[in-house]
Amino acid sequence: MDEQLSTSDDGEMDQIVESSNIKEANTNEQSSDIEPYVGMGFESEEAAKVFYDAYSTRLGFVMRVDAFRRSMRDGKVVWRRLVCNKEGFRKLRPKRSENRKPRAITREGCKAMIVVKKEKTGKWIVTRFVREHNHPLVAIPPNGRRSVLLSQAPDDKDVKIRELTAELQRERRRSAAYQEQLCVVLRDMEEHSTYLSRNIEDIVQSVREIENKR
């Protein structure tokens, strides 16, 4: 066992369902209109988060980054679970004041989730997908704006979460674009370095041949 489990909540760990028929998917062509499926592939963990975040926005719920596993070899995350923000139940805590307004219920034990795992190839593959929610969803109309979803949210906390989620999604897309540009630059640098090394080797070989003839 070379993986270590961590979780961002107090829920129990769900069993990983491995897919024997892994389907490759181009994340550049994926959109929120596509429903997740077991075997769907992503180039990175971040790409999977962006996809499920956009998918959750379209359906009318808020994504929450939940449990993860790290490799015991290098400490990197190799397994991630993304859930609905209404997953689990709130912990019961002692009341501080009788006059204090009770907090709205935001956890309803929703089981909707997506689980992705990093393969040896570097791809992140969906190994589990639960579609059903146990609470109403507030979907955005095709020609509507995100404010429609926010105005219908029953909880101020959920509204704030959705606003922050939208901002986070924009930053993720921007970061993904920067990362893609950086990869292109690094690849060009590596190719140029290889080209220079070959030229140097050719020059050295030519010099040796000239010296041998002399």
Side-chain angles (χ1 to χ4, degrees), residues 125-144:
I125 306 299
V126 176
T127 59
R128 184 174 185 184
F129 170 54
V130 178
R131 179 188 301 104
E132 295 76 14
H133 295 258
N134 65 346
H135 56 89
L137 302 178
V138 185
I140 301 177
N143 58 349

Side-chain angles (χ1 to χ4, degrees), residues 45-63:
E45 178 193 2
E46 193 65 24
K49 291 179 182 177
V50 171
F51 168 78
Y52 194 61
D53 187 31
Y55 169 78
S56 66
T57 300
R58 180 173 66 85
L59 261 66
F61 69 97
V62 178
M63 179 196 78

Side-chain angles (χ1 to χ4, degrees), residues 22-50:
I22 297 177
K23 303 177 183 178
E24 295 295 335
N26 189 338
T27 55
N28 293 328
E29 298 179 355
Q30 290 174 359
S31 68
S32 60
D33 295 334
I34 303 175
E35 185 176 76
Y37 57 87
V38 174
M40 175 181 275
F42 298 93
E43 294 297 329
S44 63
E45 178 193 2
E46 193 65 24
K49 291 179 182 177
V50 171

Side-chain angles (χ1 to χ4, degrees), residues 15-133:
Q15 181 180 5
I16 303 175
V17 178
E18 297 291 349
S19 171
S20 59
N21 183 23
I22 297 177
K23 303 177 183 178
E24 295 295 335
N26 189 338
T27 55
N28 293 328
E29 298 179 355
Q30 290 174 359
S31 68
S32 60
D33 295 334
I34 303 175
E35 185 176 76
Y37 57 87
V38 174
M40 175 181 275
F42 298 93
E43 294 297 329
S44 63
E45 178 193 2
E46 193 65 24
K49 291 179 182 177
V50 171
F51 168 78
Y52 194 61
D53 187 31
Y55 169 78
S56 66
T57 300
R58 180 173 66 85
L59 261 66
F61 69 97
V62 178
M63 179 196 78
R64 189 175 84 238
V65 179
D66 194 47
F68 64 90
R69 280 181 176 174
R70 293 184 182 274
S71 171
M72 295 294 290
R73 296 175 182 175
D74 54 17
K76 294 182 179 180
V77 176
V78 294
W79 187 96
R80 173 70 72 178
R81 184 171 66 192
L82 308 173
V83 300
C84 172
N85 74 316
K86 295 186 180 296
E87 181 270 347
F89 296 95
R90 183 192 301 168
K91 294 180 179 180
L92 296 177
R93 298 178 180 178
K95 295 182 179 180
R96 297 181 181 179
S97 174
E98 295 295 335
N99 298 327
R100 192 174 183 180
K101 183 179 178 180
R103 293 172 57 189
I105 298 176
T106 57
R107 300 290 186 90
E108 300 181 18
C110 182
K111 298 295 184 181
M113 72 170 70
I114 183 175
V115 175
V116 290
K117 180 181 179 181
K118 186 177 183 180
E119 299 292 319
K120 293 181 179 179
T121 59
K123 291 269 189 180
W124 285 77
I125 306 299
V126 176
T127 59
R128 184 174 185 184
F129 170 54
V130 178
R131 179 188 301 104
E132 295 76 14
H133 295 258

Side-chain angles (χ1 to χ4, degrees), residues 93-206:
R93 298 178 180 178
K95 295 182 179 180
R96 297 181 181 179
S97 174
E98 295 295 335
N99 298 327
R100 192 174 183 180
K101 183 179 178 180
R103 293 172 57 189
I105 298 176
T106 57
R107 300 290 186 90
E108 300 181 18
C110 182
K111 298 295 184 181
M113 72 170 70
I114 183 175
V115 175
V116 290
K117 180 181 179 181
K118 186 177 183 180
E119 299 292 319
K120 293 181 179 179
T121 59
K123 291 269 189 180
W124 285 77
I125 306 299
V126 176
T127 59
R128 184 174 185 184
F129 170 54
V130 178
R131 179 188 301 104
E132 295 76 14
H133 295 258
N134 65 346
H135 56 89
L137 302 178
V138 185
I140 301 177
N143 58 349
R145 297 188 303 174
R146 190 176 183 86
S147 58
V148 176
L149 173 62
L150 298 179
S151 63
Q152 294 181 13
D155 187 281
D156 291 339
K157 184 177 180 180
D158 282 351
V159 172
K160 188 63 177 178
I161 290 176
R162 284 189 168 92
E163 291 175 348
L164 294 175
T165 300
E167 182 178 354
L168 178 60
Q169 182 177 347
R170 288 192 295 268
E171 292 300 324
R172 283 174 175 170
R173 289 175 178 172
R174 184 181 305 172
S175 176
Y178 289 155
Q179 184 176 4
E180 183 177 356
Q181 294 176 4
L182 179 59
C183 289
V184 172
V185 173
L186 292 176
R187 185 168 59 250
D188 291 343
M189 291 177 61
E190 183 177 357
E191 292 177 355
H192 186 64
S193 176
T194 302
Y195 172 76
L196 291 177
S197 297
R198 290 176 179 175
N199 284 346
I200 293 174
E201 290 178 359
D202 292 340
I203 293 173
V204 171
Q205 183 64 27
S206 298

